[in-house]
Amino acid sequence: MPTNHEITTDPHLSLPPLTSLPGKTDGHNRALHTSDCHGLWHDAVLVVFSVGFVVYLALHTKKNVKKLCNRRSYIVISYYALLWLATLLNLAWSSLQAWQCSPGKEAAWNVLSLFTASGMLCLEISLLAFLLQEDYSTGLDALAHNFVVSGIVVGVDMLLKVIYVFGFGVPLFIDGAGSSNKVKWGLWIIHKLLLTAVYAFILFVHFSKWRDKLPPRPAFYNYIVIMFVVNAVALFACGLAGIGVGFGIWLYNLTDVCYHSFYLPFLYITFLADFFQEDDFLLENAYYSEMKDAGFFDADWD
């Protein structure tokens, strides 16, 4: 009959190690996955600026809607509605950062990121289409021209992202995954390169003999310069990340935070704030005469 010592030391009766238990393994994997999340300050910055801008728009909604109804500028009405849509999507994106590192939430995060990025890109492209159109039509003609161009560009961009994210599994929108994925960074390099090239072209035209083809509004070119710098830095960061440099990933994340925190307020200040702040009797001053000649506002004023 075996002794107690022999029973406890029999290898056939020994218990499996704790690390092989399903519950422990799942908890360990989840802890590792959660460690890929951004820190508290990253999420706090995004949420604070997103909430602040939503509150600002909400406080001025009644006055802004009244002026839109009185002046009947179809272009500004469209941009204002699109701004609201992009702002709410950006608020949701900023508030739900934990989704990208939560098991089972990857698909929902990709969908939310896709629509948020497309909404902001639609605003960006439609403004570029306005700046680049040579014959400045007014009213519904300008509205149709701008949104047809931006709709085609954003539609193609969205389709390509859907194919790569959901078809090929490229983690375009998940920061903690695919840090060394060359396809991911290659796609972002192409995206940033195209935007940087367009902003560089507008700056070239502005300082050339063809500058009269562009709207005579200095604030536009402050916007163009800043967006050129941001996209050029993001392009540089994507290039570094693509060759495996950790600083490139950090720099890209920094530009992404700045874009989602400041772009929508910056766009509002540059293109819409003056429209809503001017008194009715000043609508025909030099600024709005220039804007009307450029085709940004409609010709029908009350």
Side-chain angles (χ1 to χ4, degrees), residues 120-188:
M120 297 177 72
L121 183 63
C122 186
L123 276 170
E124 195 171 347
I125 297 299
S126 61
L127 291 172
L128 290 175
F130 161 72
L131 290 173
L132 290 174
Q133 62 181 350
E134 294 185 4
D135 53 333
Y136 298 110
S137 54
T138 58
L140 294 177
D141 291 335
L143 180 66
H145 176 273
N146 289 354
F147 282 101
V148 165
V149 173
S150 60
I152 292 174
V153 174
V154 173
V156 172
D157 177 81
M158 193 173 186
L159 178 61
L160 290 175
K161 288 176 180 175
V162 167
I163 292 173
Y164 278 97
V165 172
F166 297 102
F168 299 120
V170 179
L172 279 179
F173 302 113
I174 299 179
D175 295 335
S179 58
S180 60
N181 191 311
K182 294 187 180 301
V183 176
K184 170 182 177 176
W185 294 113
L187 291 172
W188 282 127

Side-chain angles (χ1 to χ4, degrees), residues 67 70-71 278-284:
K67 290 196 173 184
N70 290 337
R71 300 173 185 177
E278 288 289 348
D279 295 327
D280 290 339
F281 70 92
L282 293 177
L283 288 178
E284 295 300 330

Side-chain angles (χ1 to χ4, degrees), residues 1 10 20 31 40 45 58 86 98 112 119 141 145 171-172 179-180 185 197-198 209 236 250 252 259 293:
M1 181 173 180
D10 188 352
S20 65
L40 176 63
V45 168
L112 177 60
D141 291 335
H145 176 273
L172 279 179
S179 58
S180 60
W185 294 113
V198 174
K209 62 181 180 180
F236 175 68
W250 177 86
Y252 175 79
Y259 180 75
D293 292 340

Side-chain angles (χ1 to χ4, degrees), residues 67-294:
K67 290 196 173 184
L68 288 173
C69 293
N70 290 337
R71 300 173 185 177
R72 294 184 300 177
S73 175
Y74 297 111
I75 293 180
V76 180
I77 291 172
S78 301
Y79 278 123
Y80 186 68
L82 185 57
L83 176 68
W84 259 110
L85 176 61
T87 300
L88 294 177
L89 285 171
N90 189 57
L91 174 63
W93 183 88
S94 301
S95 304
L96 299 173
Q97 287 286 302
W99 278 13
Q100 65 177 304
C101 50
S102 299
K105 294 289 187 180
E106 290 87 353
W109 172 255
N110 284 327
V111 171
L112 177 60
S113 299
L114 183 65
F115 279 98
T116 302
S118 297
M120 297 177 72
L121 183 63
C122 186
L123 276 170
E124 195 171 347
I125 297 299
S126 61
L127 291 172
L128 290 175
F130 161 72
L131 290 173
L132 290 174
Q133 62 181 350
E134 294 185 4
D135 53 333
Y136 298 110
S137 54
T138 58
L140 294 177
D141 291 335
L143 180 66
H145 176 273
N146 289 354
F147 282 101
V148 165
V149 173
S150 60
I152 292 174
V153 174
V154 173
V156 172
D157 177 81
M158 193 173 186
L159 178 61
L160 290 175
K161 288 176 180 175
V162 167
I163 292 173
Y164 278 97
V165 172
F166 297 102
F168 299 120
V170 179
L172 279 179
F173 302 113
I174 299 179
D175 295 335
S179 58
S180 60
N181 191 311
K182 294 187 180 301
V183 176
K184 170 182 177 176
W185 294 113
L187 291 172
W188 282 127
I189 286 172
I190 295 173
H191 185 272
K192 300 301 180 183
L193 179 62
L194 292 174
L195 286 174
T196 304
V198 174
Y199 287 118
F201 174 75
I202 295 176
L203 289 177
F204 168 76
V205 174
H206 176 61
F207 292 105
S208 70
K209 62 181 180 180
W210 299 288
R211 64 179 301 168
D212 292 339
K213 294 178 179 288
L214 297 175
R217 177 61 176 156
F220 289 175
Y221 305 105
N222 297 332
Y223 169 86
I224 295 299
V225 168
I226 292 176
M227 293 306 297
F228 169 76
V229 171
V230 170
N231 281 279
V233 172
L235 175 62
F236 175 68
C238 290
L240 291 179
I243 60 176
V245 178
F247 173 74
I249 299 175
W250 177 86
L251 183 60
Y252 175 79
N253 289 334
L254 177 62
T255 60
D256 199 42
V257 170
C258 292
Y259 180 75
H260 283 276
S261 298
F262 303 115
Y263 175 68
L264 294 173
F266 179 48
L267 182 147
Y268 178 86
I269 292 171
T270 303
F271 293 95
L272 295 175
D274 287 344
F275 177 85
F276 293 122
Q277 290 173 3
E278 288 289 348
D279 295 327
D280 290 339
F281 70 92
L282 293 177
L283 288 178
E284 295 300 330
N285 64 10
Y287 168 72
Y288 282 106
S289 296
E290 291 176 352
M291 293 293 289
K292 286 173 63 179
D293 292 340

